[in-house]
């Protein structure tokens, strides 16, 4: 999944074909219609499809609809075929792919191999851009850290391997440039601390105050790239008018201009085909010196512009059911990871459209398909 778009898509097609010809359709149908999470996912996609009716640019609308097909087909398909007894295999396969990306990232960073695909010396993120790479890396760190902290059955050898892996991934987090993933990393630390102290608020807050600033300060002092990215945020937010053209400045501008569109179309939005057109129109009025965009780099902004409050509520319903379902199991790993996944995505979706991109959407759907599968059925 984190290694190649074409490879992942090929596997997705194979899975879908096996599903279509595997029979037992009544059981599959019942699993889907009896899951509130699956219904929420299908409704989210359906609102996108229906909004084509009031979209002027049908070609762009169909392009966006194609990107959202996971929520209509692949999510429900995976949901009906994954099995709880194989969860460790699913996670191990995912982590193995992360190990491979880490190896190539360090090989580029240490200049042992030539730069390739997305990886370069300044930002060694192989196979995908840092925008997708760092959130996937942050979630991987969370999973491995959870195993170290809570899995009492780990051998000493495996515990040492996992700890080494955490250190290597954490260093990699700050030699690459994905700010959303870095924020997700710190949020994951906070979640882990609360889960470790099990609602002991004083101990949790004390640990957070000691650990999070310590890691941040260390990264800030040792990583030139992280230092520059932090300074960019500080400079832009303190003097936005002078820094509108920076990466952070453009994101602020995208949000401000998009809000003008949202206010005029608050309930059902402009349709999934019309964000680029509507943004060009308002950008020409407010900030003609700045570039246009087809993506406001915020999932919430994008959904509100395209689908209004109707789509926004539909989006949040997916995360609501995931958080609710995560509390219905006694398995600590499933409960904790099931809560962390939606919380972390709810955070990073402020900074980009992470359910529109291939890699992060696939990771979200992949983990969601088995973390919440049997909980409703146990009620």
């Amino acid at each position: 999944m984190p290694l190649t778009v074409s490879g992942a898509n090929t596997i997705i097609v194979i899975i879908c074909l096996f599903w279509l010809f595997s029979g037992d359709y009544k059981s599959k149908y019942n699993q889907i219609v009896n899951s509130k999470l699956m219904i929420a996912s299908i409704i989210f996609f359906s609102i996108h499809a229906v909004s084509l009716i009031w979209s002027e640019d049908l070609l762009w609308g169909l392009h966006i609809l194609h990107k959202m097909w996971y929520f209509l087909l692949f999510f429900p398909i995976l949901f009906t075929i994954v099995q709880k007894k194989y969860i460790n295999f699913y996670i191990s396969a995912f982590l193995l792919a992360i190990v491979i990306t880490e190896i190539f990232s360090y090989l580029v960073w240490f200049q042992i191999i030539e730069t390739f695909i997305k990886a370069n010396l300044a930002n060694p993120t192989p196979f995908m851009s840092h925008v997708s790479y760092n959130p996937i890396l942050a979630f991987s760190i969370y999973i491995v850290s959870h195993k170290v902290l809570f899995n009492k059955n780990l051998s000493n050898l495996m515990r040492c391997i996992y700890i080494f892996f955490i250190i290597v991934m954490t260093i990699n987090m700050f030699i690459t440039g994905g700010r959303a993933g870095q924020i997700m990393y710190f949020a994951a630390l906070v979640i882990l601390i609360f889960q470790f102290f099990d609602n002991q608020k004083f101990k949790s807050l004390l640990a957070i105050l000691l650990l999070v600033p310590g890691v941040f300060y260390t990264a800030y002092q040792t990583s030139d790239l992280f230092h520059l990215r932090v300074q960019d945020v500080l400079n832009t937010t303190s003097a936005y008018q002078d820094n509108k053209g920076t990466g952070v400045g453009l994101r602020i501008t995208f949000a401000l201009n998009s809000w003008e569109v949202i206010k005029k179309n608050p309930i059902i939005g402009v349709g999934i085909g019309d964000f680029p057109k509507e943004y060009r129109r308002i950008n020409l009025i407010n900030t003609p010196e700045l570039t246009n965009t087809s993506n406001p780099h915020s999932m919430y902004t994008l959904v509100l512009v395209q689908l209004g409050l109707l789509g926004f509520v539909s989006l949040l319903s997916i995360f609501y059911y995931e958080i609710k379902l995560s509390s219905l199991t006694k398995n600590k790993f499933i409960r904790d990871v099931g809560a962390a996944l939606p919380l972390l995505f709810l955070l990073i979706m402020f900074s980009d459209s992470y359910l529109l991109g291939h890699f992060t959407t696939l990771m979200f759907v992949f983990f969601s398909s088995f973390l919440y599968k049997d909980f409703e059925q146990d009620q």
Side-chain angles (χ1 to χ4, degrees):
M1 181 171 59
L3 300 177
T4 166
V5 174
S6 59
N9 285 336
T10 299
I11 293 173
I12 289 172
V13 170
I14 293 172
I15 289 173
C16 291
L17 288 174
F18 272 113
W19 185 86
L20 286 172
F21 293 105
S22 61
D24 200 17
Y25 301 113
K26 183 177 180 180
S27 173
K28 294 171 183 175
Y29 173 79
N30 288 335
Q31 286 187 60
I32 293 171
V33 298
N34 290 324
S35 168
K36 294 177 182 178
L37 177 58
M38 290 301 100
I39 297 301
S41 176
I42 293 170
I43 289 175
F44 181 57
F45 174 88
S46 299
I47 294 173
H48 280 77
V50 172
S51 77
L52 287 171
I53 296 172
W54 59 88
S55 295
E56 294 182 18
D57 190 341
L58 290 180
L59 189 61
W60 184 258
L62 290 171
H63 168 72
I64 297 297
L65 192 66
H66 170 72
K67 285 179 170 287
M68 304 303 297
W69 80 279
Y70 295 98
F71 295 95
L72 174 69
L73 291 176
F74 193 54
F75 194 3
I77 285 174
L78 275 186
F79 184 81
T80 62
I81 63 176
V82 294
Q83 298 183 45
K84 188 175 290 187
K85 63 182 179 180
Y86 295 136
I87 286 178
N88 285 334
F89 292 103
Y90 304 147
I91 294 174
S92 296
F94 172 77
L95 292 178
L96 177 60
I98 298 300
V99 169
I100 295 171
T101 63
E102 288 291 296
I103 291 171
F104 278 101
S105 179
Y106 277 109
L107 288 175
V108 170
W109 194 57
F110 285 115
Q111 301 184 49
I112 297 173
I113 63 174
E114 296 292 325
T115 59
F116 70 102
I117 312 178
K118 300 287 185 179
N120 56 61
L121 293 178
N123 199 8
T125 55
F127 312 118
M128 69 187 81
S129 76
H130 61 268
V131 175
S132 299
Y133 178 73
N134 285 69
I136 292 175
L137 183 61
F139 191 64
S140 304
I141 294 172
Y142 169 82
I143 291 174
V144 179
S145 299
H146 193 283
K147 287 181 175 291
V148 170
L149 290 172
F150 300 109
N151 190 341
K152 306 301 182 184
N153 296 322
L154 281 181
S155 66
N156 290 334
L157 176 61
M158 284 305 301
R159 194 174 300 277
C160 289
I161 291 173
Y162 278 151
I163 290 173
F164 173 77
F165 193 23
I166 292 169
I167 294 171
V168 169
M169 287 193 296
T170 299
I171 294 171
N172 195 245
M173 174 64 64
F174 296 105
I175 64 172
T176 51
R179 278 178 293 219
Q182 291 161 354
I183 292 172
M184 185 175 176
Y185 166 81
F186 287 113
L189 287 184
V190 172
I191 292 172
L192 276 169
I193 289 170
F194 274 109
Q195 291 172 343
F196 180 77
F197 288 106
D198 197 20
N199 296 323
Q200 299 180 57
K201 295 181 180 179
F202 177 76
K203 290 183 178 180
S204 298
L205 292 174
L206 181 60
I208 290 168
L209 291 174
L210 292 174
L211 181 62
V212 174
V215 174
F216 182 92
Y217 179 79
T218 302
Y220 186 78
Q221 293 296 325
T222 57
S223 170
D224 292 337
L225 181 58
F226 183 65
H227 184 99
L228 289 173
R229 303 286 276 178
V230 171
Q231 285 300 126
D232 181 37
V233 173
L234 295 176
N235 293 337
T236 302
T237 52
S238 62
Y240 163 67
Q241 293 299 329
D242 297 326
N243 294 279
K244 288 184 177 181
T246 66
V248 177
L250 284 173
R251 278 171 164 77
I252 295 173
T253 303
F254 294 158
L256 293 174
N257 286 342
S258 296
W259 180 244
E260 297 294 321
V261 181
I262 294 168
K263 288 192 295 184
K264 296 179 180 179
N265 308 272
I267 306 302
I268 61 173
V270 300
I272 63 169
D274 290 2
F275 179 89
K277 177 180 70 69
E278 292 295 330
Y279 188 86
R280 282 195 302 271
R281 182 181 59 78
I282 201 70
N283 189 51
L284 186 63
I285 298 171
N286 292 347
T287 49
E289 74 280 6
L290 296 180
T291 183
N292 292 307
T293 186
S294 59
N295 181 354
H297 292 278
S298 165
M299 194 69 201
Y300 303 119
T301 302
L302 181 65
V303 169
L304 282 167
V305 171
Q306 293 182 153
L307 306 173
L309 288 173
L310 179 65
F312 184 68
V313 171
S314 177
L315 170 66
L316 293 184
S317 70
I318 295 173
F319 294 90
Y320 166 77
Y321 285 119
E322 290 195 342
I323 293 171
K324 182 178 179 180
L325 292 171
S326 69
S327 65
L328 300 181
T329 179
K330 295 180 180 179
N331 183 301
K332 182 170 178 58
F333 180 81
I334 299 296
R335 183 176 70 247
D336 287 355
V337 179
L341 179 69
L343 289 174
L344 292 173
F345 264 82
L346 284 168
L347 173 64
I348 64 171
M349 287 193 305
F350 281 104
S351 68
D352 217 318
S353 304
Y354 278 107
L355 292 184
L356 197 64
H358 169 82
F359 290 106
T360 49
T361 304
L362 188 53
M363 184 184 79
F364 179 80
V365 167
F366 172 70
F367 278 93
S368 296
S369 67
F370 60 80
L371 286 174
Y372 314 103
K373 175 171 180 176
D374 296 321
F375 301 162
E376 290 176 304
Q377 299 170 6
D378 293 338
Q379 297 307 298

